[in-house]
Amino acid sequence: MKIVETKSVVLVVFVALLALLGTYFTMVVPLMDQSLYEPTADATPYSKLELRGKEIYQREGCTYCHTQQVRNLLAETKRYGMGEEETFKRYGVRALIQAPPSQPGEYVYDKPHLLGTRRVGPDLARVGGKYDNSWHINHLRDPRSTSPGSIMPAYSWYFDDRGQPTKDAIALVAYLQKLGTNIKWREQGVARVKNQ
Amino acid sequence: MHEDKSAKWFIFVSIVFFLVTILIGFTMAIKFVFPEFLGGVGIFSFGRIRAIHTNGVLFGWLLAADMGLAYYLVPRLCGVKLFSEKLGIATLLLWVVIVLGAVVTLASGQTQAREYLELVMWLDVLVTVAWVMFAVNIFGTIAKRKYPQMYVSLWYIMGTIFWTALIWIVGNLPVYSGVNDANVNWWFGHNAVGLIFTPLGVATAYYFIPKSTGNPLYSHRLSLIGFWTIAFLYIWTGAHHILFGPIPVWLQTVAIVFSISLLIPVWTVIANFFGTLKGKWAQGNYIVKFLMSGTVFYLLTCIQGPMHSLRSVNQIVSKTDWIPGHAHMAVFGAFSFFAIAGIYFAVPKIYKTTLFSAKLAEWHFWLSFVGFLGFSTSLWIGGFLQGLQWMDHTIAFIDTVKAMSPYYVVRLLSAVLMVAGQLLFALNIFKTARIQAGEPALAA
């Protein structure tokens, strides 16, 4: 025992061995787990426009206020699912369609990942298809116009002098509409309800 | 006999970065109450300055301050001069380049977009170079030490040099994707707290608690247990940031088990600190006050942490404002308090004088202490309630945002106190350095 207190090299070697042990099991083993790279059945790579939108999302740090993961909790699959009104308006049936919990296969094209840790605003993992494009444009231009009481920043620098969205704003919206569509959960959920 | 050039310049520069980056934090607190504040300009928007604040306080302030304190205490614990003051100053210059580079790149939106790993590649390389320079200086000093037996602070500093290199380099490799990228991100993020700032904070406290109280270290055995258990346990816990998320369940469970077992190293270290502080609680000056409350906050953070990793607690508090409240207790309440205490102790010693004003330092303590409590308590209460509201999907999200507003106001007011306190801190330290130049001390 004494030797680790008198020989710095020995101390560092032991420290390194312990650190590598934990790193191996919690990091290297998952890295080698092929099932985590298996895309979901509906997964498609990002288009060029969507990828540009993802870059804007990264650049503006949307991830510090929005997560992109529906946790495996009933409260979340319901909250981030499709509410009764919305389903009725769009599909003509009255039902709450729960959002599926996020799965590894939905993220295979994400580099970097944008899972996030903080929800100043709502989770965005299933936001694709929730609103139409013009809602997003108005929301980005002035969040308080669509959502009174919001504390989200207005992204006015993505709009020109006449208030028209720039190419980047359009790309960002395309990216948002892609989120969560690697599982066609809205269509599948409605089909399930109709078949009952 | 000690030149202390590297120590004092690292400390001074870290204090400047501290002021700048907490003012950025303050700006964010304003934005939570007045979202249009400084609106319409990309470089001032929340998503950009958030990364400047976190990277700034972590690497610009706390790590730089701890490096400065290491340059101070390692030579003293070894009974020899620092290996190379020139190398130390060169490291500092590089560090300044890195921090300025970080501010410019992050403000302009250049980022890896991975939390706490935001800095772009060329900055990552520079940080690695600076860290190697720091390592050479510290190990060089330790190699020529007079006393064969190494004190516990040295173990922690040597350990940190290895851990930082490991997680920094591996975490920044541009090879990960998908959920594994998230797992690596939190392997890094959590170990940044646990294997950089915790051990450096503990190392400084292990040095300055006995020094400033005059008490001997309470237990050698406890310090051994504390060190080796943290060296084994901490690195397994990162995945507790993604509980219920899209990563394998076994990985989540492993993270939970190891998170709970972290109570062992924490309580041994705390028991050692309390044992060493024994008898000094009543008569403590500002240095001892910072050390004592830092120790208590360290204990509380490390009770919270393992509790958050329990699935039942995690489902409520995770992703809420509770978490920034928790993070500030670790980084501000515990480790910044330790660094501040060390700076109050070391700077007058370096200048062979007394502190410019003990009274200002008392004010600094109380403003920081009360400000911090208001800051974190408001976020804990508000965040917990918001977490409960999220459990009920019939409550619209926007209503849970509005429900936070009184807590955001209290947080902002508390932040005023925290900022004011740190202004006094900077003033006091820079005035102390100037006494040397012939100005008389205000009060002993």
Side-chain angles (χ1 to χ4, degrees):
Chain A
M1 213 52 218
K2 202 83 198 164
I3 188 162
V4 294
E5 292 172 58
T6 52
K7 291 259 181 290
S8 53
V9 180
V10 178
L11 179 132
V12 174
V13 168
F14 276 110
V15 162
L17 287 176
L18 288 174
L20 293 175
L21 184 72
T23 302
Y24 176 77
F25 281 105
T26 61
M27 203 182 101
V28 179
V29 170
L31 276 173
M32 295 185 310
D33 180 349
Q34 287 311 314
S35 72
L36 296 179
Y37 301 100
E38 205 62 52
T40 50
D42 303 321
T44 52
Y46 293 107
S47 71
K48 240 174 133 179
L49 186 69
E50 289 159 356
L51 214 51
R52 175 73 193 141
K54 182 167 183 277
E55 276 165 19
I56 307 290
Y57 188 97
Q58 289 163 204
R59 180 163 91 193
E60 295 305 341
C62 311
T63 190
Y64 299 119
C65 286
H66 293 288
T67 54
Q68 289 186 17
Q69 45 170 326
V70 176
R71 296 189 297 166
N72 196 358
L73 294 167
L74 202 56
E76 298 206 356
T77 54
K78 284 186 174 164
R79 172 174 295 281
Y80 298 112
M82 193 159 51
E84 281 188 27
E85 283 308 311
E86 198 189 338
T87 323
F88 184 68
K89 231 171 38 201
R90 266 216 255 138
Y91 296 94
V93 286
R94 240 177 230 293
L96 169 84
I97 308 289
Q98 288 188 42
S102 294
Q103 296 170 21
E106 296 179 75
Y107 298 91
V108 291
Y109 302 112
D110 280 11
K111 186 181 175 174
H113 81 94
L114 294 167
L115 260 61
T117 51
R118 182 74 187 85
R119 288 178 183 153
V120 177
D123 186 84
L124 297 181
R126 301 277 173 235
V127 82
K130 179 175 176 184
Y131 303 104
D132 55 23
N133 290 349
S134 64
W135 186 93
H136 282 295
I137 293 291
N138 291 332
H139 182 244
L140 287 171
R141 187 194 291 117
D142 178 11
R144 279 153 289 287
S145 69
T146 54
S147 321
S150 176
I151 55 171
M152 176 163 146
Y155 287 93
S156 48
W157 55 99
Y158 287 111
F159 294 85
D160 66 17
D161 298 341
R162 289 168 302 129
Q164 292 306 306
T166 58
K167 271 206 190 99
D168 283 345
I170 291 167
L172 180 56
V173 172
Y175 169 68
L176 291 171
Q177 297 291 26
K178 161 86 174 156
L179 289 177
T181 59
N182 282 343
I183 296 177
K184 300 264 172 273
W185 62 279
R186 293 178 197 271
E187 298 79 351
Q188 288 164 5
V190 170
R192 241 191 336 267
V193 171
K194 281 186 174 163
N195 283 343
Q196 271 166 11
Chain B
M1 141 208 180
H2 297 287
E3 222 178 305
D4 289 326
K5 249 183 92 189
S6 313
K8 72 184 182 204
W9 283 107
F10 252 98
I11 288 171
F12 293 156
V13 165
S14 75
I15 293 175
V16 173
F17 289 147
F18 193 20
L19 289 186
V20 174
T21 47
I22 58 170
L23 280 172
I24 294 172
F26 185 61
T27 310
M28 298 198 295
I30 298 176
K31 282 168 175 283
F32 274 80
V33 179
F34 306 103
E36 307 282 1
F37 178 71
L38 290 181
V41 192
I43 59 169
F44 294 131
S45 82
F46 178 83
R48 305 258 186 106
I49 64 176
R50 190 335 181 126
I52 302 179
H53 171 68
T54 53
N55 284 281
V57 288
L58 289 175
F59 300 107
W61 147 246
L62 193 50
L63 188 53
D66 282 340
M67 286 162 82
L69 292 171
Y71 286 125
Y72 173 86
L73 62 84
V74 170
R76 283 169 175 76
L77 286 172
C78 293
V80 292
K81 285 188 168 193
L82 184 68
F83 176 70
S84 165
E85 290 287 353
K86 279 213 184 82
L87 182 61
I89 293 296
T91 314
L92 175 74
L93 293 178
L94 183 53
W95 206 257
V96 172
V97 170
I98 291 165
V99 174
L100 296 180
V103 172
V104 172
T105 49
L106 292 173
S108 65
Q110 296 175 49
T111 169
Q112 288 191 37
R114 300 154 80 221
E115 205 174 5
Y116 301 117
L117 282 167
E118 285 91 350
L119 300 189
V120 288
M121 189 56 90
W122 64 271
L123 285 168
D124 298 335
V125 173
L126 290 188
V127 171
T128 312
V129 172
W131 197 250
V132 170
M133 292 160 77
F134 176 66
V136 168
N137 227 342
I138 296 298
F139 279 107
T141 310
I142 291 175
K144 54 174 194 164
R145 69 186 182 280
K146 267 213 313 255
Y147 323 117
Q149 172 97 9
M150 295 179 290
Y151 181 64
V152 48
S153 298
L154 293 182
W155 316 341
Y156 277 102
I157 291 172
M158 287 189 291
T160 310
I161 288 175
F162 174 81
W163 291 318
T164 307
L166 173 75
I167 65 171
W168 184 259
I169 293 169
V170 175
N172 274 304
L173 294 177
V175 296
Y176 315 105
S177 65
V179 291
N180 263 315
D181 190 34
N183 188 44
V184 172
N185 194 163
W186 284 107
W187 172 83
F188 173 86
H190 199 74
N191 290 319
V193 184
L195 294 177
I196 303 180
F197 298 106
T198 300
L200 286 179
V202 169
T204 48
Y206 262 124
Y207 181 84
F208 290 108
I209 290 177
K211 278 279 171 198
S212 61
T213 57
N215 286 353
L217 181 66
Y218 173 68
S219 161
H220 180 69
R221 177 169 305 163
L222 282 182
S223 48
L224 268 173
I225 299 173
F227 178 77
W228 288 106
T229 45
I230 205 173
F232 172 52
L233 297 171
Y234 217 109
I235 200 128
W236 298 73
T237 57
H240 68 203
H241 287 264
I242 334 175
L243 296 187
F244 303 102
I247 57 166
V249 173
W250 68 264
L251 190 55
Q252 305 183 21
T253 306
V254 166
I256 295 172
V257 171
F258 277 85
S259 302
I260 302 294
S261 55
L262 278 181
L263 290 172
I264 303 167
V266 172
W267 286 0
T268 47
V269 167
I270 299 284
N272 220 356
F273 287 179
F274 280 168
T276 311
L277 283 162
K278 206 149 108 205
K280 305 289 169 169
W281 287 80
Q283 65 218 45
N285 65 357
Y286 50 91
I287 296 180
V288 180
K289 283 197 183 97
F290 271 110
L291 289 170
M292 283 174 175
S293 43
T295 305
V296 172
F297 288 140
Y298 180 49
L299 173 66
L300 294 178
T301 319
C302 295
I303 291 175
Q304 281 186 345
M307 294 309 125
H308 298 165
S309 74
L310 296 174
R311 287 190 169 93
S312 52
V313 180
N314 186 278
Q315 58 177 315
I316 297 171
V317 299
S318 181
K319 322 285 184 279
T320 70
D321 267 301
W322 175 290
I323 302 300
H326 165 70
H328 281 80
M329 182 148 72
V331 174
F332 185 76
F335 305 132
S336 289
F337 274 26
F338 288 154
I340 288 167
I343 290 171
Y344 274 136
F345 185 93
V347 169
K349 281 268 186 311
I350 292 173
Y351 282 96
K352 302 191 179 56
T353 176
T354 49
L355 190 70
F356 170 68
S357 162
K359 215 181 199 156
L360 276 188
E362 292 283 341
W363 271 97
H364 171 209
F365 171 76
W366 287 110
L367 286 168
S368 304
F369 184 77
V370 174
F372 162 72
L373 281 180
F375 182 103
S376 280
T377 314
S378 58
L379 292 184
W380 288 327
I381 298 172
F384 191 77
L385 295 178
Q386 195 184 26
L388 289 179
Q389 291 175 328
W390 288 350
M391 288 284 137
D392 178 354
H393 74 279
T394 59
I395 303 176
F397 195 94
I398 186 68
D399 292 329
T400 75
V401 175
K402 290 181 192 155
M404 281 302 295
S405 67
Y407 303 98
Y408 288 149
V409 172
V410 175
R411 187 259 298 267
L412 177 58
L413 297 176
S414 312
V416 174
L417 304 185
M418 288 164 76
V419 171
Q422 308 325 306
L423 288 172
L424 299 184
F425 173 48
L427 179 78
N428 214 348
I429 293 299
F430 291 123
K431 279 283 185 189
T432 305
R434 287 288 296 279
I435 294 173
Q436 185 77 336
E439 287 184 27
L442 181 80

